[in-house]
Structures are given as structure tokens and as C-alpha cells.
Amino acid sequence: MITPRIEINLDKIAHNTRLLKSLYSSKGISIMCSTKVVCGDTKIAKVLLENGIETLADSRISNIIKIYNSKINVQLALLRTPLVSQAELVVKYVDISLNSEISVIKELSKYAQKYNITHKIILMVELGDLREGIMPSDLEDTIEKAIAMQGIKIVGIGTNLTCFNGIEPDDEKMKQLSLIVKNIREKFNLTLEIISGGNSANYNWFMSTKDVGEINNLRIGESVFMGCETLYGKPIPNLFTDVFTLITEVIESKIKPSVPYGAIHKDVSINIPKFHNQESMRRAILGIGLQDTRISGLTPMLDIEIIGATSDHLIIDCKNQNLQVGNEIKFNLNYEALLSAMTSSYVAKVYV
Ligand SMILES: *Cc1c(COP(=O)(O)O)cnc(C)c1O
């Protein structure tokens, strides 16, 4: 079979989706499922929909258009604030976009009027992680302006933590968000039906909190696909953590010295060997490299060790494994490795 390939277990995705949906709904929280790590894969999108997800969310308009064109009947949300240059596409293909810039909302309003539709927005509030979001002190001003724009409906308030600076979505942050929401509702006569408190890092807050306050939505990707929360990277009980498997193939296997020999040129040799004896070892090369995935995010399922990689070669220490040319070698992937493998056109996607 073709390698490198990533095997995607759709049943495990279905299981994780159902379990997370029922877990979060036990405290009245709906989930939007983020498809960005799987590049808006339409087979996976269909599985998410069939297992109770009503809104799919992605950072990239190209992924959203892919899902839209596959005729899956689902609400589509754009996670990253729209690029001004894509405002027209966003209005055409996206039901709800997350926003933090009034100039962008103005563009959305322009195209919403052109197509005579109402585009829904969630306003993102900065609570300390310092990625996207309106500073709380500027929120009322932004809302005043956005309310006045035709074709735009503010349907919610959201925040995003832990993504850039690891700021924890704890009870204090969530209470702060709830308070902001209450004030806005009072002041502006807005319903604000979606209060989106965060992402897969909100799991520990959710499990421990006695009161979710106004929070009624989370945007979840990593927990569905990796089976983990993201604050500590711990598995969530009863979820599959092995939805994806990367399969590669041995293209060379030989007994070779463990240390390079000859004059080492300092600018070329970036693989400083960690072997200190000159003993020979079985080394294998796998037909995968930096152009296929994030090598540092791979964990071999066999007892072998990754020595290093170049664009197209992955070099391993076979240890006690007698690997032969043509053997398939399997790896678990972390989020970054999955992201790059799904993005690489050199890695085949196989559904099991
Ligand atoms: C990616 C993303 C999410 C989902 O994050 P996970 O860690 O995959 O759950 C949620 N919100 C925003 C704004 C995102 O960019």
C-alpha cells in the first residue's frame, strides 16, 4: 500500500465526538468542532455532523469552501478574523465569523448588503493570552459601531485563551467573560445567544467549575482528534488518543558506524551525533521527511529511535529491530505533526 500515508479512523472520531458532545451538554455547553487540523476534510466533516455537531469551524476560508461545496448541511464558522481581502468570500460561504476589527466588520457589512444577506458575527474579547481579541475597555465602542452596520448581526461574544501564551481559562477568566456579557446585554439590548468561552484547553475549567455562568459554547478541535485536553496535554477519559496513524516505509537498512567520519564542516553538519562510541549499529532510512510532517512530533510505535531527518529522509536507530527494506513503520503523531501531515500533499489520506 502507498506510503507515507495517514490512516484516519472514522469510528474513533465518531466516538470522541459523541462523548464530548454529551459531556459538554451536561452543563449546557454546545460545541463547534474545529476542522482546521484536518484541513476541512469532508469525509471527517460528515462524520462530525452525523454524530451531533451542528457547527463546523475552521480558520481558513479555503477549508470552509471545501465543506460548503461538499453539500454537507451544517452551519459554518470562521475561527480566524477574516482577511479584508477575503471579506466577500466570507460573506458568501460563512454563516458566522469571529471578529476583532471594526474595519473588517465594515467590509463584511458592505458585501452582506451587496448579496442581501445577514452575516452573523461573534466578537472576540482579549482576556490576556494576547492573540486575537478586542480589549474589554474598547468593546462597547466596537459594539456601538457594529450595531449600526447593515447586514451584520452580533450573535455572540467569545474569547480565546491558551493558544499563544498559555494563559489558563480558569474560573476567574470565565467569570470575567460572563460579567462582560451581562453588561453588554443590559446596555445594548442584545440577546447574544452564543457565549463561546474557548477551546480544548477549557476542559479542566469545565470539569471543575460549579457554575459555567453565561458560557454556553466552546470551539473544540484537538480534543476530538487527539483525545486530549490541551492545558496539560492529558488524555480525556474514555476518548481515543490514536485516531490517526502515520505509516512509512524502510528504504535503506544497513549496519553503519554510529558517528559520521571525515572532516565535519560546521555549516553543513547540523546533526551533532549524540553517540560517543564508534560502535556500528543498524540504521534505517524511512521514506518520509520534513516536507511530509513535523518529525519532532512523531512517536514510533516500535522500539526504535529517531536520529534525525532531512527533507525526504528520516534516519532511525533500529536498536534491536531487524528492519528490512519495504517494512512498514508506524508512528503516533502529536497535533503539530498531524497538522503538517494533513497539509502535505505528499502524505496519502486513507480512511479506516
Ligand atoms: C483552533 C481554534 C480553536 C480550537 O482549538 P483546539 O485546541 O483545537 O480545541 C478554537 N478557537 C479558535 C479561535 C481557534 O483558532
Side-chain angles (χ1 to χ4, degrees), residues 5-21:
R5 67 178 183 275
I6 186 155
E7 288 189 353
I8 305 168
N9 189 312
L10 296 176
D11 288 341
K12 289 181 179 174
I13 293 176
H15 170 93
N16 286 1
T17 305
R18 283 195 301 271
L19 196 138
L20 285 167
K21 183 181 152 104

Side-chain angles (χ1 to χ4, degrees), residues 69-137:
N69 286 337
S70 74
K71 302 272 188 289
I72 298 172
N73 190 16
V74 67
Q75 179 160 254
L76 293 168
L78 183 66
L79 291 171
R80 185 172 67 184
T81 187
L83 312 190
V84 170
S85 58
Q86 294 176 342
E88 184 165 8
L89 290 174
V90 171
V91 165
K92 276 168 84 171
Y93 293 102
V94 173
D95 298 295
I96 308 177
S97 60
L98 276 49
N99 285 270
S100 59
E101 285 288 357
I102 197 71
S103 59
V104 173
I105 300 169
K106 200 170 159 197
E107 281 296 297
L108 296 173
S109 164
K110 183 173 104 190
Y111 289 108
Q113 291 174 72
K114 175 176 168 190
Y115 292 105
N116 196 23
I117 52 184
T118 301
H119 181 76
K120 298 181 208 166
I121 62 170
I122 291 175
L123 292 174
M124 297 299 279
V125 184
E126 177 63 69
L127 289 182
D129 198 50
L130 300 183
R131 203 180 72 179
E132 73 275 35
I134 301 159
M135 289 304 288
S137 54

Side-chain angles (χ1 to χ4, degrees), residues 34 36 59 79 131-132 160 199-200 219-222 335:
S34 161
K36 67 189 182 208
S59 292
L79 291 171
R131 203 180 72 179
E132 73 275 35
N160 196 58
N199 50 48
S200 295
R219 310 169 306 273
I220 303 287
E222 198 157 340
Y335 187 84

Side-chain angles (χ1 to χ4, degrees), residues 124-137 158-170 172-174 176-177 180 197-199 219 231:
M124 297 299 279
V125 184
E126 177 63 69
L127 289 182
D129 198 50
L130 300 183
R131 203 180 72 179
E132 73 275 35
I134 301 159
M135 289 304 288
S137 54
T159 195
N160 196 58
L161 295 165
T162 327
C163 267
F164 188 52
N165 279 309
I167 298 301
E168 190 176 335
D170 54 16
E172 197 188 315
K173 294 291 184 195
M174 293 300 107
Q176 203 182 336
L177 185 63
I180 288 172
N199 50 48
R219 310 169 306 273
L231 201 54

